[in-house]
Amino acid sequence: MNRLLKNKMYYLMLFPVIAWFIVFKYVPMYGVIIAFKDFNIMDGILKSAWADPWYGHFEVFFKSPYFSQLLGNTLIISLYKIVLGTIPSIILAILLYESRTTWLKRWVQTLSYMPHFLSWVIVFGIALAFFSETNGLANRWITEGGGTAIPFLNSTEWFRTMLVSTDIWKDLGWGAIVYLAAMSGIDASLYEAARIDGASRLRCIWHITLPGISTVVMLLLILKVGSVMDAGFDQIFIFYNVRVYSVGDIIDTWVYRTGLEQLNFSLAAAVGLFKSVIGMILVILTNQLSKKFGGGGIW
C-alpha cells in the first residue's frame, strides 16, 4: 500500500491507458459471441438464435472455394512484408547510427519518416503517378526507350511486388526509429575497446551493433507474427481490383465483400475469431522458439 501511495502519480498517468484497453479492447470481446449465432440486428446479440451447428459460420468459411487462395495470399503477403520490411529498416538505422555528418543524418531521418504519415489513398495516388500503365512516369520512360508498357498495378505478376515495395517505402524510416533507440543503448566502451583492438567499422557493426539490437529485432518480429493474418487491409483494399484477385484478395477483403456488404456479421465475426486464434498461437510458438534459441521473449 505504501508503494502504491508513493507512486500514485505514475498509476494515475497509467489509468487512461488501462481505461482505453478496457473500453476498446476487452469490452468488445463480448461481441465475439455472434460468431456462434445467426445474428439479427433487430433481435440483438442476446436474442438472436444460436447457429445450427454452432460452428456453422466457420464451416461456411472453411468450405468456401476461395479459402485456400485467401489463406495463401494472406500468409504470402504478410511474410513478404515482415521479412523484406525488417531488413531495410535495420540497414537504414545502422547507416544513420554510423553517420558522422549531423545535417545529412537529420535530413535523411526527416525524409524517411515523412511517408509514414501519408494515408494509403495518397500513397496509391503517388504509385499511380509513377506506375500507371497509360500515363505513369515509369511506363513513359519504358515506352520512350522502345519498350512495352508494363501493367504494374493491374497484373498478377507485379501486384505483390507493388504492395510490398510501397509498404517498405512508407514505413522504412518509422521502423528505423526503434532500432536507432536500441543502438543508442549499447555501451560505447564496447566500440572503444574494439577499435583499440583494431576492429573496422564493419567488424563493430557485425560483432557489437547487431548483437546489441538482436533482442529488439526478435521482440518486433514476435509482435509482427501476431498480425500475420492481417496482411494490411487498408492498403490492399485501395490497391486491388478484380484483375488481381487471384494474388491480392486476402481474408479481410473477402470478409468485407461477403460478410459486411451482405450484412452477414456472424460470418465476419467467425473469420475474425479464427484470425485472432491463429495469431495468438503463432505469437506463443514464436515466443517459445525465441527463448529456446536464446533470443529472449516478450514474457
Side-chain angles (χ1 to χ4, degrees):
M1 182 57 73
N2 291 333
R3 189 176 177 183
L4 181 66
L5 293 174
K6 182 180 179 182
N7 300 305
K8 59 183 178 183
M9 291 306 297
Y10 294 108
Y11 289 108
L12 193 62
M13 288 190 288
L14 189 62
F15 178 75
V17 178
I18 296 174
W20 185 88
F21 269 95
I22 292 173
V23 173
F24 294 104
K25 294 295 181 181
Y26 287 99
V27 172
M29 284 184 183
Y30 167 72
V32 79
I33 194 174
I34 68 173
F36 305 98
K37 287 193 166 191
D38 294 324
F39 178 68
N40 186 307
I41 296 178
M42 301 305 294
D43 294 335
I45 294 177
L46 293 179
K47 293 184 179 179
S48 294
W50 290 96
D52 185 23
W54 61 271
Y55 52 83
H57 299 293
F58 295 91
E59 193 175 33
V60 169
F61 176 58
F62 295 144
K63 289 186 176 180
S64 166
Y66 305 107
F67 175 72
S68 58
Q69 175 183 301
L70 295 169
L71 187 61
N73 288 341
T74 303
L75 293 176
I76 289 171
I77 294 172
S78 288
L79 291 175
Y80 278 168
K81 287 183 176 179
I82 291 173
V83 175
L84 300 179
T86 300
I87 297 172
S89 294
I90 294 175
I91 293 174
L92 177 63
I94 290 174
L95 292 175
L96 292 173
Y97 186 69
E98 292 292 326
S99 175
R100 298 294 178 263
T101 311
T102 307
W103 66 268
L104 179 63
K105 185 176 179 179
R106 288 177 179 172
W107 270 100
V108 172
Q109 280 183 298
T110 303
L111 292 175
S112 60
Y113 295 165
M114 287 174 66
H116 175 76
F117 300 102
L118 300 177
S119 70
W120 280 116
V121 176
I122 296 176
V123 173
F124 178 69
I126 296 172
L128 204 61
F130 277 91
F131 300 107
S132 169
E133 186 178 359
T134 54
N135 55 5
L137 191 59
N139 271 319
R140 281 190 183 182
W141 290 338
I142 292 173
T143 52
E144 288 174 2
T148 305
I150 300 172
F152 290 106
L153 299 170
N154 296 314
S155 69
T156 54
E157 291 81 10
W158 285 93
F159 185 70
R160 287 175 179 165
T161 303
M162 295 304 302
L163 283 180
V164 175
S165 57
T166 50
D167 184 74
I168 292 173
W169 173 73
K170 189 173 185 291
D171 287 331
L172 176 65
W174 189 256
I177 292 176
V178 179
Y179 301 120
L180 270 174
M183 289 174 192
S184 64
I186 298 175
D187 190 350
S189 64
L190 295 175
Y191 292 101
E192 294 173 6
R195 290 190 191 102
I196 291 172
D197 290 340
S200 64
R201 274 195 172 188
L202 286 178
R203 286 286 182 186
C204 290
I205 292 170
W206 185 255
H207 292 289
I208 299 174
T209 306
L210 290 178
I213 64 170
S214 61
T215 306
V216 176
V217 173
M218 189 55 67
L219 172 65
L220 294 179
L221 281 177
I222 292 171
L223 294 176
K224 286 181 179 178
V225 166
S227 59
V228 74
M229 300 294 285
D230 288 336
F233 170 79
D234 294 346
Q235 181 195 15
I236 296 174
F237 185 70
I238 293 170
F239 272 68
Y240 85 154
N241 55 66
V242 179
R243 296 171 62 180
V244 295
Y245 272 4
S246 61
V247 296
D249 197 18
I250 60 172
I251 293 174
D252 282 341
T253 51
W254 181 82
V255 167
Y256 178 81
R257 294 197 311 275
T258 308
L260 299 183
E261 285 186 347
Q262 299 175 16
L263 301 182
N264 193 343
F265 298 112
S266 294
L267 177 62
V271 177
L273 182 59
F274 164 72
K275 286 174 47 187
S276 300
V277 171
I278 297 297
M280 183 183 69
I281 293 172
L282 289 175
V283 167
I284 293 172
L285 290 176
T286 312
N287 191 62
Q288 293 300 321
L289 287 174
S290 175
K291 289 198 289 188
K292 183 177 181 181
F293 291 104
I298 58 178
W299 70 83

